[in-house]
Amino acid sequence: MKSLIPVLLSSLLLTACASYEPTQIGLNPTLGAVSLQTESDTQVLVETIDTREASFVLRITEGDKTPQLVGTTEPMRQQLDKLFRNGMIKAGYVVDPAARNSVQFQLNYLLADVTDTTFSFESKTRLVINVLAKNAQQQFTKSYNANGYLKGPLSPDFATLELDINQLIDKLTTEILNDDELHQFIQR
């Protein structure tokens, strides 16, 4: 009887761990290589907004079950705002809330759609960021898109999905921050 108790407790703990489904994912995008765009201390107001319809970034579908929706541990708007501010500073701008020229980064869409089957998973990620820049006379708008695809055996682990999403964000934000067309407009 005494040896049965540890076996029952162990199986109960394993069952509890196996049924745990996280509700948040810890994204941590990093700033890629940003080229110096200006040496004239051009002042710019930088703002980041989240215009997505839903705040989750991961939707896991497994057969007929209700999809599991997973948000982020830290709001995406805050993470991207920090990234874009640091990127604009690295590009040579002076970020100033009273600046005449402004750049607004709009997170329009971010979702990793994961299909989980018995023996494999497939993840399709889509990211859309719109940029709206204004100076005294004109405004500039441009939409930037990135898509990611990941396939693997068994069920996906959150670390793999986090890495895939972070890499996609890093790639697109680096592309935006190095866009010559955007910088030419800001410096007019």
Side-chain angles (χ1 to χ4, degrees), residues 34-44 87-95 101 177-180 182-184 186-188:
V34 177
S35 303
L36 184 64
Q37 301 291 334
T38 181
E39 293 181 9
S40 64
D41 290 335
T42 304
Q43 294 182 345
V44 66
M88 294 299 283
I89 291 167
K90 194 171 180 184
Y93 296 98
V94 175
V95 175
N101 295 343
L177 290 165
N178 287 306
D179 185 348
D180 290 335
L182 172 63
H183 293 291
Q184 287 172 8
I186 294 171
Q187 295 172 37
R188 284 187 195 160

Side-chain angles (χ1 to χ4, degrees), residues 24-165:
Q24 293 185 325
I25 189 169
L27 295 181
N28 187 23
T30 56
L31 184 61
V34 177
S35 303
L36 184 64
Q37 301 291 334
T38 181
E39 293 181 9
S40 64
D41 290 335
T42 304
Q43 294 182 345
V44 66
L45 165 68
V46 175
E47 181 184 21
T48 306
I49 62 172
D50 188 345
T51 61
R52 295 176 298 155
E53 293 178 11
S55 62
F56 57 88
V57 296
L58 196 56
R59 178 173 48 208
I60 302 173
T61 307
E62 189 177 346
D64 294 338
K65 293 181 183 177
T66 303
Q68 179 186 357
L69 307 176
V70 181
T72 56
T73 53
E74 184 181 344
M76 281 310 303
R77 189 204 67 75
Q78 289 177 355
Q79 293 183 55
L80 288 176
D81 190 59
K82 181 179 175 185
L83 203 66
F84 282 124
R85 283 178 187 277
N86 290 339
M88 294 299 283
I89 291 167
K90 194 171 180 184
Y93 296 98
V94 175
V95 175
D96 182 357
R100 193 185 68 176
N101 295 343
S102 67
V103 181
Q104 184 180 76
F105 300 97
Q106 304 167 348
L107 175 59
N108 191 287
Y109 194 89
L110 173 57
L111 180 65
D113 241 331
V114 181
T115 305
D116 190 5
T117 61
T118 307
F119 299 108
S120 66
F121 75 91
E122 179 180 78
S123 174
K124 296 176 183 176
T125 307
R126 183 167 179 243
L127 173 60
V128 179
I129 297 175
N130 296 324
V131 176
L132 172 63
K134 294 180 183 178
N135 61 26
Q137 297 85 25
Q138 299 174 311
Q139 76 177 26
F140 167 90
T141 57
K142 190 169 182 179
S143 185
Y144 300 83
N145 301 287
N147 294 302
Y149 180 78
L150 182 66
K151 188 173 184 170
L154 305 173
S155 290
D157 64 279
F158 270 40
T160 302
L161 296 172
E162 286 172 359
L163 179 64
D164 188 55
I165 296 169

